[in-house]
Amino acid sequence: MSKLQKIRKCYGMMLIVGMGGIACAALPAKSMASASAQYFQRIATFPVYRNLAENQSETDETVSEILAVSEDENYLIYTDGVQQRLGFVDIRDPGKPQPAGFVALKGEPTSVAVKGNYALVVVNTSVDYVNTSGELVVVDIADMDNPVISQVIDLGGQPDAISISPNGRYAVVAIENERDEEACPDGHGGLIDAAYGDKQACQAQGSELGALPQLPAGFLQVLELEGSPVHWRAERVELAGIGDVGAEDPEPEFVSVNRKNKVVVSLQENNHIVIANLKKRRVKRDFSAGYVDLSGIDIEKNKRIEPTGSLKSVPREPDAVSWVSRRFFVTANEGDYHGGSRGFSVFDRRGNIVFDSGNDIEYLAMRIGHYPEKRSGKKGTEPEGVAFARYDDGRQRFLFVGAERANLVAVYRVDRNGKPEYIQVLPTGVGPEGILPIPGKNLLAVAAEKDDASEGYRSMITIYHLENGPAMYPQIVSRGTPPIGWGALSGLAADPSDSDRLYAVHDSFYAHSKIYTIDVSEVPAVIDGEIPLQRNGGSVSYDLEGVTVTSEGGFWAVSEGKPGVSRNLLLKISAEGNVKQEIELPLEVQKNQRKFGFEGVAESVGGRVFIAFQREWQDDPNGLVKIGEYDPSTGEWQFYYYPLDAAPEGAWVGLSEMVALQTGELAVIERDNQQGDKAAVKRIYRFDPAMARDLGEQYPVVTKVLLHDVLPDMRRYNGWVVDKLEGMAIAFDGTTYLVSDNDGLDDATGETMFLRLESLAE
């Protein structure tokens, strides 16, 4: 039995490949499944730059942070702290959201809630961290074509969050008066500004950057919402003296009010929780948010996903908080400067822990390729947002947990004892912040605040609808406990004799190159094994961009070079992952290297190996990119030119992947570097190198024929179209598989598209 046949024999089991050979192990029970027949499906993505003023550039930074919805549920309302505006989005047709303008504010809006015909937005007008101030701006939204500010109420400090009681009688505002992260107490009531001085001065005072106390202290403001806004008054509720850390300097972060008019308040930096009675305007109960021991997590930033570390007594330091009933509430334990337990917790109203997620969110992110490895040494996925709502006339109780660094929202059902059951995961934009259930229309809206036009992603509001049918995301997952960590999939290959087996590689975003094995008999597809690559007995780290199975039962792969750093290499790899050969380009070709080198590889009829270069090199005419042909029997190379499609303005077009067809032709992915609504070129072409070879030229130009435009397939999922469509494989049964490179969430949404096409048609 060949080594590749041994790998195939592990189908349906966990594949383990190491120095001792190949072994199979039973897979753990599936954790992605759910008995529910209803799931939230993404129906629209709205980039908020579409709501900029006509005289602004569409590349101007603009954000959506906290969300609210009008009473008739026809308009989303969002805070834009960068542009100092309150924005509006028309969702009368939620699948086609439209820009609906904005109201300018005199400061940074930090939160918003709706009471009848009024949007209540809290605005930070502070000049610095000591001289704090803020306002409650009441915006009349009765006429959404002409919203106007009707009242401004002084809040006496820097606000962070607002919540309105379910009966509409009260509004409560968290006045955080946040600390300066570049300062520390000097021990005499003042601050040491370490940004301009010696940071060791903090240590000399027995303190650290960002430490508490940093006065003025935070507090609550409570408003009784009776009559016209002109009669509303803010009443202060003190919180000083409460907290695990820096008790004289409470910094309330988030607030949530239940049906009994009790407000739960998170004091994030203080690692504390407060429950106050709004009617009596006093604190009823307070308690520590507590500490967590974490095990089986990744705690080191090292370009590897290694969930083998542990942390002891980590303060939860909760951010968002939400009641899930009169008895229970949930916290998102994002952490601040001391803690962050990478999960969420359910408390009862007396402070007892009912449930703690432990490392569940970390594992969920690893399982779907959303784990932010660069944050391993800090707070991992950073669950920041939580929201709860009853759907289906109260019969379904959903909890939503947003992970800021993993770009996801996890959905749970909550029973009457406060225990959550995992249902599904939703992809978001970069940095999900505001989570807004809209049960009246079976909708959920999520605002992602990160916006960077130069990197290709924008702040966006994603809309989901609760409906029957299987979940559309994720499309590929991994198995195991802990799961196989993966991401940045850059190449895909089919098993020549098993239609249910694929192989994939990752690029240089992660260290220690490996080949993943994928079972496509299931939906979503399952990464069920990994083959670490080795050379001369040691691990290797290539920039793998393409892979294919050889006729001998091993693999060909290509590693992209970087001028002055690394070479473009064709690699011959055994079935168990040993690199047997590193094959370089001829010197006269390699000397013209540019950044964008080897991207795809295919073994064609007769054992010849073809390589796709991504973009033009120094000696190439504009619009023509090299295809290399290598003969393993002689070691000789020859080259062709492939004509690229015209690039959109300000963009480039190149090749991403190559597959050999049974006809002797080759198929390639041709793509631009554009995302979202700017994406234009995501296509599959075929060409016949034999026809070009007969031309007798040094670099004959191949003739290409369009096989399939992939862009409509990508847009069908109603998300932010990713740029890097990088992997393609055609299985033995003719099914074509495509995968996108999610860049390991580095300046990217992190979403991995894994598409299945029954046939390739022009």
Side-chain angles (χ1 to χ4, degrees), residues 52-67:
L52 287 168
E54 291 183 0
N55 63 348
Q56 290 184 282
S57 167
E58 67 176 27
T59 61
D60 286 353
E61 184 180 4
T62 178
V63 304
S64 55
E65 187 176 6
I66 301 300
L67 291 172

Side-chain angles (χ1 to χ4, degrees), residues 426-445:
L426 302 172
T428 70
V430 181
E433 182 81 13
I435 304 173
L436 177 67
I438 311 175
K441 289 190 173 181
N442 278 340
L443 298 176
L444 172 73

Side-chain angles (χ1 to χ4, degrees), residues 517-633:
T517 61
I518 305 174
D519 174 8
V520 294
S521 69
E522 300 184 47
V523 177
V526 177
I527 296 174
D528 58 8
E530 51 187 342
I531 307 171
L533 299 195
Q534 305 170 57
R535 181 167 171 79
N536 299 325
S539 62
V540 289
S541 294
Y542 295 109
D543 187 10
L544 298 181
E545 296 289 351
V547 63
T548 192
V549 178
T550 72
S551 55
E552 299 175 359
F555 303 94
W556 290 109
V558 287
S559 178
E560 186 176 22
K562 187 175 182 180
V565 177
S566 59
R567 302 161 292 165
N568 288 275
L569 297 173
L570 171 63
L571 307 170
K572 190 171 185 180
I573 304 168
S574 69
E576 68 266 26
N578 290 318
V579 179
K580 299 167 70 174
Q581 282 183 276
E582 291 184 340
I583 301 163
E584 299 185 42
L585 285 167
L587 181 60
E588 63 271 19
V589 177
Q590 182 63 34
K591 68 181 182 181
N592 292 304
Q593 177 185 16
R594 280 183 175 165
K595 176 182 177 183
F596 300 94
F598 286 178
E599 277 289 315
V601 61
E603 183 182 274
S604 190
V605 178
R608 290 175 177 266
V609 181
F610 290 84
I611 294 170
F613 291 55
Q614 186 170 52
R615 292 179 62 189
E616 304 95 328
W617 280 15
Q618 295 179 36
D619 58 332
D620 298 331
N622 288 336
L624 294 176
V625 65
K626 288 186 181 72
I627 300 291
E629 179 182 350
Y630 176 74
D631 186 344
S633 65

Side-chain angles (χ1 to χ4, degrees), residues 442-463:
N442 278 340
L443 298 176
L444 172 73
V446 176
E449 66 174 328
K450 301 299 183 183
D451 185 81
D452 192 333
S454 66
E455 292 291 343
Y457 63 87
R458 306 307 304 266
S459 174
M460 63 191 78
I461 298 171
T462 310
I463 302 174

